């Protein structure tokens, strides 16, 4: 983005780099954002990005509200993503004339507009306030999980949320599945089979996602739309159903995440056809699943 910058009048960007470092220039200062970190560029903030190698990642855009930390409820004062671990830029400025013209690109009501000026927009010497861009290292997430039996709701892995007017229902959640211990007893430990009111876009920053070890690669994505049933593939089911339930490390060397939304998500024609990256056989990972229902395997009068 040489002699160019961008700002979004429509909403906020949450940027998740998967490969390659991002050096982000803003009116507030500079941020170096690496894979396994995220950053948020809020509405109206001008920014430019330098890359140094082949680079890719994910972006979530929300409208009308801003990202914030989820309410912790009974968890209390500390846990999940702690406020102290979010970083903001140190004031920095660029006093530079651009005789050939500096292009400012604006996204407004879904359309792009451009204007030229003869000076860098990053000529802000100082600032104050709390409306800033920020970044966060996902390794600092304080994982909370079940230590007895059963599953806690996946909302316990929420890093940031953009709330709707309906309590408990978000316009968007950013959820991660970081390395952690699994100790639940009498429990099928992988993510359970379910359907819900949220659209779930899953991405993978590194490693192997526990519920689908094969075919789901870093930089890829999957979309399970509202009320669409989904869950672990057949291999994961068979392995987890037979394994001895001892304490085990889960997802070491892995970082998967989800963009969740109570709204419906559409896939572009480029994503479906032109990209030539669509996995036409994705559904086949569930075809080998077999019914193991045995209603007479125990006496219903006996205690569990």
């Amino acid at each position: 983005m040489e002699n160019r910058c961008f700002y979004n009048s429509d909403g906020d960007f949450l940027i998740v780099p998967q490969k390659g470092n991002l050096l982000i220039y803003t009116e507030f200062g500079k941020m170096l954002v690496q894979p396994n970190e995220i950053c948020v560029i809020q509405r109206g903030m001008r920014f430019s990005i330098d890359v140094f190698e082949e680079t890719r990642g994910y972006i979530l855009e929300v409208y009308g509200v801003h990202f914030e930390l989820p309410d912790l409820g009974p968890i209390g004062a500390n846990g999940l993503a702690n406020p102290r671990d979010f970083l903001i830029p140190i004031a920095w400025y660029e006093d530079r004339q651009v005789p050939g013209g500096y292009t400012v690109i604006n996204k407004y009501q879904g359309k792009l507009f451009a204007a030229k000026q003869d000076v860098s927009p990053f000529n802000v010497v100082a600032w104050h306030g709390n409306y800033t861009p920020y970044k966060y290292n996902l390794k600092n997430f304080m994982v909370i999980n079940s230590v007895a039996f059963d599953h806690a709701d996946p909302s316990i892995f929420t890093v940031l949320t953009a709330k709707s007017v309906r309590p408990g229902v978000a316009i968007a959640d950013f959820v991660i599945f970081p390395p952690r211990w699994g100790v639940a007893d009498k429990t099928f430990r992988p993510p359970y089979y379910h359907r819900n009111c949220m659209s779930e876009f899953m991405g993978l920053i590194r490693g192997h996602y526990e519920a689908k070890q094969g075919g789901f690669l870093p930089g890829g994505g999957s979309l399970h739309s509202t009320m669409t049933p989904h869950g672990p593939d057949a291999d994961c089911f068979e392995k987890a159903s037979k394994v001895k339930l001892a304490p085990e490390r889960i997802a070491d060397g892995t970082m998967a995440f989800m963009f969740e939304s109570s709204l419906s998500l559409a896939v572009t024609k480029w994503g479906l056809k032109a990209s030539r990256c669509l996995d036409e056989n994705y559904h086949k990972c569930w075809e080998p699943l077999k019914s193991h229902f045995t209603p007479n395997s125990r006496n219903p009068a006996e205690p569990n």
Side-chain angles (χ1 to χ4, degrees):
M1 298 177 70
E2 185 176 358
N3 292 332
R4 289 191 301 165
C5 73
F6 181 88
Y7 74 100
N8 186 355
S9 293
D10 294 338
D12 292 5
F13 282 143
L14 189 157
I15 301 174
V16 184
Q18 185 273 320
K19 182 179 182 180
N21 298 332
L22 307 179
L23 180 58
I24 303 178
Y25 300 82
T26 77
E27 296 161 287
F28 303 81
K30 296 183 287 186
M31 296 187 296
L32 178 64
V33 184
Q34 302 171 309
N36 214 50
E37 295 182 320
I38 62 170
C39 74
V40 173
I41 308 293
Q42 303 196 79
R43 182 181 179 185
M45 296 178 178
R46 298 181 179 187
F47 68 96
S48 180
I49 299 179
D50 279 354
V51 298
F52 310 97
E53 57 186 306
E54 182 180 344
T55 304
R56 66 188 179 202
Y58 310 83
I59 298 178
L60 174 63
E61 183 180 14
V62 298
Y63 308 98
V65 294
H66 298 295
F67 289 105
E68 58 184 273
L69 294 175
D71 297 328
L72 295 186
I75 294 174
N78 306 300
L80 310 186
N82 290 307
R84 66 175 179 266
D85 294 319
F86 286 82
L87 304 178
I88 62 175
I90 297 173
W92 164 88
Y93 69 92
E94 182 179 62
D95 182 20
R96 181 166 66 92
Q97 299 294 315
V98 188
Y102 194 106
T103 303
V104 179
I105 301 170
N106 174 222
K107 179 174 173 289
Y108 177 74
Q109 295 187 352
K111 298 180 180 179
L112 297 178
F113 301 85
K116 283 199 171 184
Q117 58 189 49
D118 59 6
V119 63
S120 167
F122 305 129
N123 57 357
V124 179
V125 175
W127 55 270
H128 67 90
N130 56 15
Y131 189 65
T132 68
Y134 53 88
K135 78 169 191 172
Y136 175 76
N137 193 321
L138 299 179
K139 74 177 183 181
N140 293 322
F141 189 80
M142 178 181 162
V143 181
I144 293 176
N145 210 345
S146 170
V147 295
F149 63 92
D150 208 351
H151 284 262
D153 191 277
S155 61
I156 60 168
F157 298 124
T158 301
V159 180
L160 292 169
T161 185
K163 295 179 179 179
S164 75
V165 295
R166 296 171 58 195
V169 179
I171 291 176
D173 285 330
F174 175 64
V175 180
I176 63 173
F177 301 97
R180 59 198 184 276
W181 280 98
V183 299
D185 198 12
K186 298 181 180 180
T187 298
F188 179 75
R189 289 181 179 174
Y192 46 76
Y193 296 91
H194 68 284
R195 53 181 180 159
N196 58 17
C197 68
M198 303 293 275
S199 298
E200 301 181 10
F201 176 87
M202 175 78 73
L204 186 61
I205 298 172
R206 65 187 185 190
H208 304 278
Y209 180 52
E210 60 191 282
K212 196 176 190 303
Q213 292 283 336
F216 188 46
L217 302 177
S222 66
L223 175 62
H224 298 116
S225 299
T226 300
M227 293 302 173
T228 301
H230 56 282
D233 63 19
D235 289 342
C236 179
F237 175 83
E238 291 298 330
K239 180 181 178 181
S241 298
K242 298 172 182 176
V243 70
K244 183 179 179 180
L245 293 182
E248 63 175 335
R249 287 290 295 172
I250 298 172
D252 272 341
T254 293
M255 184 62 74
F257 73 88
M258 268 199 315
F259 294 153
E260 282 197 312
S261 177
S262 57
L263 305 176
S264 295
L265 303 179
V267 183
T268 64
K269 291 181 180 179
W270 182 90
L272 287 174
K273 299 293 182 182
S275 70
R276 298 183 180 179
C277 292
L278 183 66
D279 183 358
E280 300 281 358
N281 298 314
Y282 179 75
H283 64 284
K284 292 184 178 180
C285 70
W286 294 297
E287 287 182 351
L289 286 168
K290 299 179 178 64
S291 173
H292 297 279
F293 181 54
T294 52
N296 299 317
S297 64
R298 66 176 179 85
N299 185 343
E302 293 179 356
N304 291 332

